[in-house]
């Protein structure tokens, strides 16, 4: 509202900018005076060329007439001015006024977005997506029992296994001499060793007293036919006249440095008297321990009608289909991807894959020697631990306790050098 006899004036400046410079194109001045019963509005528009145009409506004699006939520049502007107004809008640039700290606020928003994305990615990983990463727990769970030699993330972390190990470790506390005697008591046969020929003196050595440095050409190897003729694979009778053995046999306590030297040179050897292995043998031969350890989980088992477990691949093409594919490859000189195995006539797979409980497998294995001949059925029982892949990721019902029972399977770098 404008008091009586007071003048109100508003000036609007329109600026047009291009890529190089900005210039004032139009100036609009609006004056309005309230003279009691009448109101006057004077509008003047100037462009950059100096031309001006004035719009001055007549005074109104009463307020009612003023409200009814009041001049509205936006709705009653002549056509020429409307066109000019549209042209002015096209040339006008709306200036945006930013907060002085807009860069800091933008960086803060980007940091928050990055943190959220990292959080969602970590949750996806922890839930099992992609390659597993170590799980981070805010509160460390209280363990029922600390298994000696176990790793933090590898092995069986279930309460049932921890209670089982706690019970067996209390019955058989760590004692290397006792465990070693238990292992030696299980040996039923002592095999003689066929001496290494002395034709090559540089390669002649005693496997039970090997030199500190491996001899050149180690290990000595016999012709395969000589080995098979001495002890045929189909003869399960212990060969007490002598066996072919070219690998050095090291004692864990007295020959440790020798074993480490041979291992550094990536040469094979045999180690006896390992305290951890002896403790495992003692546990596994404790009555009832293996039944509780295995439970009723079904493990992979390969069945064979005899003692030969032949390697084979399942055929995926018949003889006719295989011939057609060969003809197509010969014409186009193109090799089809994947493996293609032709099924021979009257062929049947030599072994059968199945799953079996430990108790059932023991029933097949724990029989007299006359029932274990080469022509008798055999069952090859497997225990598989997934390790860093995660429990059950590599095989259904995986045996993660293998890394706790046989610690030499633990994925440690240079484990043999960490002698305790």
């Amino acid at each position: 509202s404008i008091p009586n006899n007071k003048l109100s004036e508003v000036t609007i400046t329109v600026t047009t900018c291009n890529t190089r410079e900005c210039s004032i194109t139009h100036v609009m001045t609006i004056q309005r005076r309230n003279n009691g019963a009448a109101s006057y509005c004077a509008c003047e528009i100037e462009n950059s060329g100096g031309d001006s145009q004035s719009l001055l409506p007549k005074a109104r004699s009463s307020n009612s007439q003023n409200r009814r006939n009041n001049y509205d520049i936006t709705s009653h502007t002549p056509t020429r001015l409307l066109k000019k107004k549209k042209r002015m809008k096209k040339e006008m640039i709306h200036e945006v006024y930013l907060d002085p700290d807009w860069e800091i606020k933008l960086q803060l928003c980007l940091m928050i977005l990055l943190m959220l994305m990292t959080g969602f990615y970590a949750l996806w990983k922890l839930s099992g997506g992609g390659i597993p990463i170590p799980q981070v727990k805010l509160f460390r769970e209280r363990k029922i029992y600390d298994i000696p030699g176990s790793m933090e993330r590898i092995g069986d972390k279930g309460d049932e296994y921890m209670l089982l190990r706690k019970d067996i470790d209390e019955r058989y506390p760590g004692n290397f001499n006792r465990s070693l005697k238990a292992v030696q008591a299980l040996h039923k046969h002592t095999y003689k060793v066929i001496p290494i020929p002395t034709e090559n003196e540089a390669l002649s050595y005693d496997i039970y007293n090997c030199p500190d440095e491996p001899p050149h050409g180690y290990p000595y190897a016999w012709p395969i036919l000589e080995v098979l003729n001495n002890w045929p694979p189909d003869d399960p009778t212990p060969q007490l006249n002598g066996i072919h053995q070219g690998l050095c046999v090291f004692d864990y306590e007295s020959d440790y440095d020798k074993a480490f030297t041979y291992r550094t040179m990536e040469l094979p050897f045999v180690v006896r008297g390992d305290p951890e292995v002896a403790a495992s043998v003692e546990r596994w031969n404790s009555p009832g321990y293996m039944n509780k350890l295995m439970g009723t989980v079904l493990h992979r088992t390969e069945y064979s009608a005899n003692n030969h477990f032949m390697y084979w691949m399942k055929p995926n093409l018949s003889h006719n289909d295989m011939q057609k594919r060969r003809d197509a490859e010969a014409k186009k000189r193109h090799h089809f991807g994947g493996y293609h195995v032709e099924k021979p006539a009257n062929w049947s797979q030599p072994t059968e894959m199945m799953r079996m409980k430990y108790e059932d497998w023991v029933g097949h294995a724990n029989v007299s020697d006359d029932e274990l001949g080469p022509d008798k059925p055999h069952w090859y029982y497997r225990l598989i631990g997934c390790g860093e892949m995660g429990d059950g990721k590599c095989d259904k019902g995986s045996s993660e306790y293998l890394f706790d029972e046989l610690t030499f399977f633990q994925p440690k770098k240079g484990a043999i050098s960490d002698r305790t």
Side-chain angles (χ1 to χ4, degrees), residues 190-198 203-208 220-223 225-231 239-247:
T190 301
Y191 294 93
K192 296 180 181 180
V193 177
I194 297 177
I196 297 175
T198 58
L203 191 58
S204 180
Y205 57 93
D206 181 4
I207 65 170
Y208 296 109
Y220 183 84
W222 285 266
L225 292 180
E226 183 179 344
V227 176
L228 295 178
N229 291 332
N230 179 66
W231 194 358
Q239 180 57 266
L240 302 180
N241 294 329
I243 61 174
H244 295 83
Q245 168 75 350
L247 301 181

Side-chain angles (χ1 to χ4, degrees), residues 176-403:
F176 171 64
N177 293 327
R178 185 198 68 242
S179 300
L180 188 58
K181 290 180 180 179
V183 173
Q184 294 174 350
L186 296 173
H187 291 170
K188 297 181 179 180
H189 305 286
T190 301
Y191 294 93
K192 296 180 181 180
V193 177
I194 297 177
I196 297 175
T198 58
E199 300 174 357
N200 187 353
E201 296 182 359
L203 191 58
S204 180
Y205 57 93
D206 181 4
I207 65 170
Y208 296 109
N209 187 22
C210 287
D212 295 338
E213 296 290 335
H216 180 72
Y218 171 88
Y220 183 84
W222 285 266
I224 185 64
L225 292 180
E226 183 179 344
V227 176
L228 295 178
N229 291 332
N230 179 66
W231 194 358
D234 293 335
D235 182 12
T237 305
Q239 180 57 266
L240 302 180
N241 294 329
I243 61 174
H244 295 83
Q245 168 75 350
L247 301 181
C248 292
V249 179
F250 296 131
D251 180 79
Y252 185 86
E253 294 294 329
S254 59
D255 297 327
Y256 185 90
D257 294 334
K258 288 184 182 180
F260 188 79
T261 301
Y262 280 62
R263 196 208 72 161
T264 302
M265 301 181 68
E266 299 183 358
L267 295 173
F269 53 88
V270 178
V271 174
R272 290 182 177 177
D274 188 333
E276 296 181 356
V277 176
S280 299
V281 173
E282 187 178 25
R283 284 195 305 271
W284 287 19
N285 284 273
S286 176
Y289 179 74
M290 293 300 292
N291 295 81
K292 295 179 181 179
L293 180 65
M294 300 291 186
T296 59
V297 179
L298 300 177
H299 294 283
R300 287 191 188 186
T301 308
E302 188 171 356
Y303 168 79
S304 177
N306 49 48
N307 65 325
H308 295 280
F309 285 85
M310 306 299 294
Y311 290 95
W312 55 276
M313 298 178 66
K314 186 176 181 180
N316 58 356
L317 290 176
S318 64
H319 175 74
N320 294 334
D321 293 338
M322 194 68 181
Q323 188 62 39
K324 292 179 181 179
R325 189 169 290 262
R326 288 173 180 168
D327 295 341
E329 291 180 355
K331 292 179 180 180
K332 298 182 180 180
R333 297 183 178 180
H334 175 72
H335 178 70
F336 293 91
Y339 79 92
H340 306 290
V341 180
E342 180 182 353
K343 182 178 180 179
N346 301 325
W347 179 88
S348 61
Q349 62 185 43
T351 61
E352 180 182 354
M353 303 299 176
M354 60 179 64
R355 288 188 175 270
M356 184 179 295
K357 294 187 296 184
Y358 172 75
E359 184 179 3
D360 297 335
W361 177 79
V362 171
H364 294 299
N366 193 14
V367 295
S368 58
D369 291 342
D370 58 343
E371 297 183 15
L372 291 177
D375 56 342
K376 300 295 182 179
H378 286 65
W379 287 265
Y380 187 82
Y381 201 61
R382 302 185 188 182
L383 297 181
I384 302 175
C386 297
E388 294 182 346
M389 296 178 63
D391 187 6
K393 297 293 185 180
C394 66
D395 185 61
K396 183 179 180 181
S398 60
S399 306
E400 299 306 310
Y401 47 77
L402 288 176
F403 299 99

Side-chain angles (χ1 to χ4, degrees), residues 74-173:
T74 60
S75 59
H76 300 283
T77 305
T79 305
R80 184 172 57 84
L81 293 180
L82 288 176
K83 293 182 179 180
K84 194 172 185 180
K85 185 177 180 181
K86 291 181 180 180
R87 188 171 64 255
M88 292 167 56
K89 287 183 178 180
K90 292 182 180 179
E91 298 174 353
M92 198 178 343
I93 295 179
H94 299 278
E95 298 182 6
V96 179
Y97 295 93
L98 298 177
D99 193 304
D101 300 331
W102 69 273
E103 294 183 354
I104 299 177
K105 293 182 179 180
L106 180 60
Q107 293 177 1
L108 182 60
C109 292
L110 292 176
M111 291 178 60
I112 295 175
L113 180 60
L114 181 61
M115 293 174 62
L116 290 175
M117 294 176 62
T118 305
F120 283 120
Y121 178 76
L123 291 176
W124 176 65
K125 283 289 187 180
L126 295 177
S127 62
I131 302 176
I133 60 176
Q135 297 187 7
V136 179
K137 297 182 179 180
L138 297 178
F139 303 96
R140 185 178 297 273
E141 297 179 359
R142 184 178 180 180
K143 294 182 179 179
I144 299 177
Y145 176 66
D146 288 329
I147 301 175
S150 65
M151 299 182 68
E152 182 178 358
R153 297 183 295 106
I154 305 298
D156 194 334
K157 307 304 179 184
D159 295 344
E160 184 177 357
Y161 176 68
M162 290 187 180
L163 290 174
L164 180 63
R165 278 298 302 267
K166 181 180 180 182
D167 177 69
I168 195 69
D169 289 346
E170 289 176 353
R171 286 191 290 160
Y172 298 95

